[in-house]
Amino acid sequence: MSAPASPPSRSFRTVAPVIALCWLAVFFDGMDVNIYGAVMPHLLDDPGLGFSPGTAGTVGSWTTFGMLIGALAAGTLTDWLGRKPLVTGSVLLFSLGSALCAVAPGAAVFGAGRFLSGLGLGGLMPIGLAIVAEFAPPRRAALATGLMMTSYHAGGMAATGIGLAVAPEHGWRWVFWAGVLPAVIAVPLVLKWLPESPGVLYAKGRAEQAYAVADRYGLDRPGADRAPEAGAKGRLSAIGALFAPGTRWATPLLWIASFAGLLLVYGVSTWLPELMRASGYSLSSSVTFLMVINAGGILGMLIAGRTADRFGPVRVSAIWFLLTAVGAYLLRAELPLGVAYAVVFVTGVWLFSAQVMVYAATARVYAPAERATGLGWVTGVGRTGAVVGPWLGGMVIAGGNAGLGFTTFAVAAVLGAVAITLVPLAGRARRRPATGHPAALAATAD
């Protein structure tokens, strides 16, 4: 099939419907993740549920353990089964998990619901990131990633608003019923409008459809070099490529940076209200801090995305991690309420986008055929940090030392800064000048 006479140029306008659908799906992802932290004080105060701080931290870790499994599975399988089926399945899974939490008679069933939600939540993120990386204008990839991730924090703010408005009067169960909305709203839209990856279509032997999608959105037409290898052998080959000579050192460093970033994201999202309450703030103010930090996260995504497109996501991520460490350490002090809100907001500007720029750097390190697998493993292995964060926060709260919790988050941020800073150095150290391996991209990621 010959190339079209005048294919459309790829711009935000041509790919806006794709990014908008990813934005909507990740909005519900952020809402579901943050619902747990938003209603945490009410869960702990419900004598019939049987929650203690330690139990709540363990349940939070079940959620993130499910995310770990979901991210690894989805990131590896999406090139085989397709983006659209896995996006749909992920949304249905976390909606079903939310419904199970809403009817849970005790902590065990509630934990099972959160684990089920985690499978869907973990699966959705790497697929959404891979879709945006594939469809976004090349010189605006970091901005597109940041723009999509604003939805996560908008969802977090929505969860906090629902928790504040609904839980005190009607109970925490109605908040989890709101988590069923994604199955009703997002799934029909995804099924109708989300395009499949041209590379995946080409790998399945559907070249005509692949060319049609590529031409419609201004993408390069896929060929054998840009399409993932089909079948189980192809999945193993994609995983092996993460440890090829050009990326074998960059891969574990990205994992460590993602571990640190997700420990921060999920530790703070789960425990910030309780940490602030333990520091002496009222219940309503403590929950509001969660909304404030997510508002900072939205602004931070836009700032980080535009800055990273100019200076590189590695450099931005490292600086953002260090600024997060400063903000977390400042929260150890007993600040006046207005000052505390300001510090939490500014910390949110840095904290969440530091992690997202790890994903933007990952998309530059790996070649197109391995990108979805690379993102899946970076988010999946990083979920060990998301498992540790809620559990660690529960242990700290149980010990009654909120200052230690903030110090722990500051140390995690420093670890993330060190790891992501070393990624381009590792790429340069292993790069072979004449190979043209995608590790060359690692050198430009800073």
Side-chain angles (χ1 to χ4, degrees), residues 30-306:
M31 190 178 82
D32 195 286
V33 169
N34 285 275
I35 275 177
Y36 188 52
V39 301
M40 181 66 71
H42 301 282
L43 295 173
L44 293 172
D45 292 342
D46 184 346
L49 192 61
F51 262 43
S52 66
T55 302
T58 300
V59 169
S61 294
W62 291 354
T63 310
T64 48
F65 182 66
M67 289 177 165
L68 185 156
I69 297 173
L72 293 178
T76 303
L77 296 176
T78 183
D79 287 331
W80 186 4
L81 302 178
R83 309 284 197 255
K84 183 181 291 189
L86 285 176
V87 169
T88 302
S90 296
V91 174
L92 289 175
L93 271 177
F94 67 72
S95 296
L96 181 60
S98 189
L100 187 57
C101 289
V103 300
V109 175
F110 186 96
R114 292 305 292 167
F115 176 78
L116 188 62
S117 290
L119 291 175
L121 295 167
L124 179 62
M125 188 64 71
I127 303 171
L129 291 166
I131 293 171
V132 169
E134 182 175 11
F135 280 80
R139 295 184 179 181
R140 293 291 182 266
L143 177 59
T145 301
L147 181 64
M148 185 195 78
M149 291 301 296
T150 62
S151 62
Y152 178 91
H153 303 287
M157 294 177 68
T160 306
I162 294 170
L164 288 169
V166 176
E169 295 294 328
H170 304 286
W172 58 265
R173 294 182 187 274
W174 282 104
V175 180
F176 280 96
W177 279 120
V180 181
L181 291 175
V184 179
I185 298 173
V187 168
L189 294 174
V190 167
L191 289 173
K192 185 172 178 62
W193 297 110
L194 184 69
E196 187 54 85
S197 161
V200 172
L201 290 171
Y202 186 91
K204 290 183 174 184
R206 296 156 62 182
E208 295 296 322
Q209 290 178 312
Y211 296 153
V213 173
D215 293 345
R216 179 179 179 184
Y217 293 99
L219 279 63
D220 294 332
R221 288 186 170 190
D225 59 329
R226 298 181 65 86
E229 187 178 346
K233 182 180 178 181
R235 299 307 89 230
L236 294 175
S237 175
I239 295 171
L242 305 184
F243 297 95
T247 54
R248 64 174 52 143
W249 297 110
T251 291
L253 287 168
L254 288 167
W255 290 358
I256 293 170
S258 185
F259 166 88
L262 288 172
L263 186 153
L264 285 165
V265 168
Y266 288 94
V268 169
S269 295
T270 300
W271 287 110
L272 180 63
E274 279 299 306
L275 284 172
M276 300 308 287
R277 189 160 74 154
S279 298
Y281 300 95
S282 68
L283 173 59
S284 60
S285 295
S286 298
V287 175
T288 305
F289 279 115
L290 195 59
M291 181 176 287
V292 170
I293 201 168
N294 277 288
I298 292 175
L299 178 61
M301 293 299 171
L302 300 175
I303 295 173
R306 291 185 64 86

